[in-house]
């Protein structure tokens, strides 16, 4: 089976280009092309759901809107080759081997783990979201989203999202999974290098549910609130739960997320402490720079409520002093934004320090111009 599901020999394993000299020549031409800066909103992308791909089919559909105009009419197979090469830039050979091992690891879990609440895996909006949130998403306008959101600090949005029953079911599912892990003595991967407790939801079958959450509910909001960091082109995710409290992680160090946009929802339970602290948005160059007073903000969690922020918004979690706190995290990523960022040098539209430096340059330029004008005026008066 070939990469797009057609009968016939599969492309060469190394780069998926096949053995045709014509295909190779065509690819050389395509490889010199660059993605568009802005999406072609009039273009209806093709579906890639029936193809055997290295990445989620939705990523290819999203990326297709950014293809150069002369590529939009090409066969789907050729477009996949071009887009795949772009995506593989972020996945070196060693990383690809790791991804394949992780895929095998995930498949083994899914084959052996029996879900407790199968309805969770389908994401029924009516039983998942609170009515106000669902109404805002259905309206799908900037006004509707701002109606349900609070912005207690620039770039940090909070809103109620999940019904209590959904939180209870998801907590029970996570506990059931952890019990299965303990009973089967199966060694699982934790969400990231900073959390020793919690679980990756995609690893035990919730990937499709989280895809729906991203595509149908997070991306529409991010499109309005975070357009400058690829909010409209979010096309992949890393979804997990983290746990804090006695005999679990107590706090979380200062960091940035590996995401363009992060959704953080408190699921429960009873706890005290554990506030999130935010300290300004930074690009790679300025990630360790200081914070200004207006960038300092602390947020206290409420079960069922979400915090939505840019992944580059520096933050951490204070100690959970009592009880047990569980949060759902969805790191939302945009392959398009990551490709475009390679050609950017100025991030002042979202990096606080870049903006500060830009304003300082403008201030110095204005001061220098004023001084020059004053000198000219003095020269004219003495002439």
């Amino acid at each position: 089976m070939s990469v797009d599901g057609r009968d016939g020999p599969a492309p060469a394993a190394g780069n998926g280009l096949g053995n045709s000299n014509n295909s190779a020549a065509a690819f050389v031409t395509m490889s010199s092309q660059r993605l568009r800066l802005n999406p072609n909103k009039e273009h209806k992308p093709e579906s890639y759901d029936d193809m055997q791909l290295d990445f989620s089919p939705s990523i290819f559909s999203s990326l297709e809107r950014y293809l150069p105009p002369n590529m939009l009419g090409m066969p789907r197979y050729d477009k996949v080759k071009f887009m795949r090469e772009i995506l593989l830039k972020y996945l070196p050979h060693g990383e690809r081997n790791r991804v394949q091992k992780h895929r095998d690891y995930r498949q083994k879990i899914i084959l052996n783990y029996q879900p407790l609440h199968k309805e969770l895996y389908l994401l029924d909006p009516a039983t998942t979201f609170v009515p106000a949130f669902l109404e805002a998403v259905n309206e799908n306008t900037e006004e509707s989203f701002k109606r349900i959101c609070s912005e207690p600090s620039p770039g940090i949005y909070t809103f109620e999202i999940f019904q209590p029953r959904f939180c209870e079911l998801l907590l029970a599912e996570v506990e059931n999974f952890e019990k299965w892990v303990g009973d089967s003595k199966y060694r699982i991967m934790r969400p990231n290098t900073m959390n020793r407790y919690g679980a990756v939801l995609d690893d035990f079958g919730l990937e499709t549910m989280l895809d729906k959450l991203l595509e149908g509910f997070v991306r529409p909001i991010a499109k309005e609130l975070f357009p400058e960091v690829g909010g409209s082109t979010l096309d992949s995710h890393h979804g997990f739960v983290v746990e804090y409290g006695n005999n679990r992680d107590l706090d979380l160090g200062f960091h940035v997320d590996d995401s363009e946009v992060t959704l953080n929802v408190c699921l429960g339970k009873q706890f005290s402490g554990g506030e999130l602290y935010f300290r300004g948005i930074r690009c790679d160059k300025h990630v360790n720079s200081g914070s200004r007073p207006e960038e300092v903000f602390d947020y206290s969690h409420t079960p069922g409520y979400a915090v939505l922020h840019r992944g580059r918004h520096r933050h951490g979690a204070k100690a959970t002093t009592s009880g047990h706190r569980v949060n759902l995290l969805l790191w939302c990523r945009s392959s398009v934004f990551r490709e475009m960022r390679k050609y950017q040098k100025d991030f002042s539209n979202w990096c606080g320090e870049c903006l500060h430096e830009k304003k300082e340059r403008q201030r110095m330029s204005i001061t220098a111009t004023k001084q020059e004008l004053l000198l000219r005026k003095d020269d004219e008066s003495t002439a």
Side-chain angles (χ1 to χ4, degrees), residues 97-108:
N97 289 339
R98 188 196 66 78
V99 168
Q100 182 58 50
K101 289 180 180 178
H102 188 239
R103 191 175 293 146
D104 295 340
Y105 153 86
R106 180 178 292 179
Q107 189 63 28
K108 185 176 180 180

Side-chain angles (χ1 to χ4, degrees), residues 215-319:
E215 294 168 13
F217 302 94
V218 178
R219 189 163 63 199
I221 302 179
K223 176 184 177 182
E224 300 295 339
L225 302 181
F226 304 116
E228 73 288 342
V229 293
S232 64
T233 58
L234 300 175
D235 51 23
S236 64
H237 73 265
H238 176 48
F240 55 95
V241 292
V242 290
E243 300 185 57
Y244 297 90
N246 296 330
N247 300 317
R248 294 175 175 85
D249 291 319
L250 289 178
D251 54 21
L252 186 64
F254 194 51
H255 67 285
V256 294
D257 296 336
D258 182 14
S259 69
E260 274 60 71
V261 176
T262 293
L263 177 76
N264 185 340
V265 186
C266 182
L267 301 177
K269 304 178 178 179
Q270 297 295 321
F271 61 90
S272 58
E275 298 88 351
L276 283 179
Y277 59 91
F278 292 89
R279 299 295 185 265
I281 308 160
R282 297 291 186 271
C283 64
D284 289 338
K285 178 182 176 182
H286 297 119
V287 69
N288 293 316
S289 63
S291 301
R292 282 174 287 282
E294 64 271 19
E295 296 178 315
V296 175
F297 174 70
D298 291 0
Y299 170 79
S300 298
H301 291 285
T302 302
Y305 279 74
V307 184
L308 193 71
H309 60 86
R310 295 173 184 83
R312 300 295 308 187
H313 207 138
R314 302 178 301 177
H315 61 284
K318 296 182 179 180

Side-chain angles (χ1 to χ4, degrees), residues 38-152:
N38 298 303
N40 183 343
K41 296 181 180 179
E42 304 299 323
H43 176 68
K44 183 178 180 181
E46 298 192 62
S47 171
Y48 297 88
D49 290 338
D50 61 324
M51 301 174 73
Q52 296 179 6
L53 303 166
D54 299 335
F55 304 91
S56 169
S58 63
I59 293 179
F60 289 90
S61 294
S62 177
L63 195 57
E64 185 178 318
R65 292 182 183 271
Y66 289 81
L67 291 179
N70 63 329
M71 291 187 64
L72 294 177
M74 286 186 172
R76 188 173 60 156
Y77 179 64
D78 291 329
K79 287 186 286 190
V80 163
K81 286 191 292 185
F82 176 75
M83 292 187 285
R84 181 176 179 270
E85 284 298 315
I86 291 175
L87 295 169
L88 286 177
K89 292 177 184 177
Y90 304 103
L91 218 59
H93 182 70
E95 181 69 6
R96 273 176 264 167
N97 289 339
R98 188 196 66 78
V99 168
Q100 182 58 50
K101 289 180 180 178
H102 188 239
R103 191 175 293 146
D104 295 340
Y105 153 86
R106 180 178 292 179
Q107 189 63 28
K108 185 176 180 180
I109 292 177
I110 292 173
L111 289 174
N112 290 280
Y113 172 68
Q114 295 299 316
L116 178 65
H117 297 293
K118 293 186 178 180
E119 62 270 31
L120 273 178
Y121 295 71
L122 303 176
L123 191 69
D124 175 17
T127 59
T128 300
F129 305 109
V130 297
F133 175 79
L134 203 53
E135 182 181 345
V137 171
N138 288 334
E139 286 186 33
N140 195 21
T141 64
E142 182 179 1
E143 291 73 21
S144 69
F145 294 133
K146 289 192 172 179
R147 187 172 65 240
I148 63 168
C149 289
S150 297
E151 190 180 9

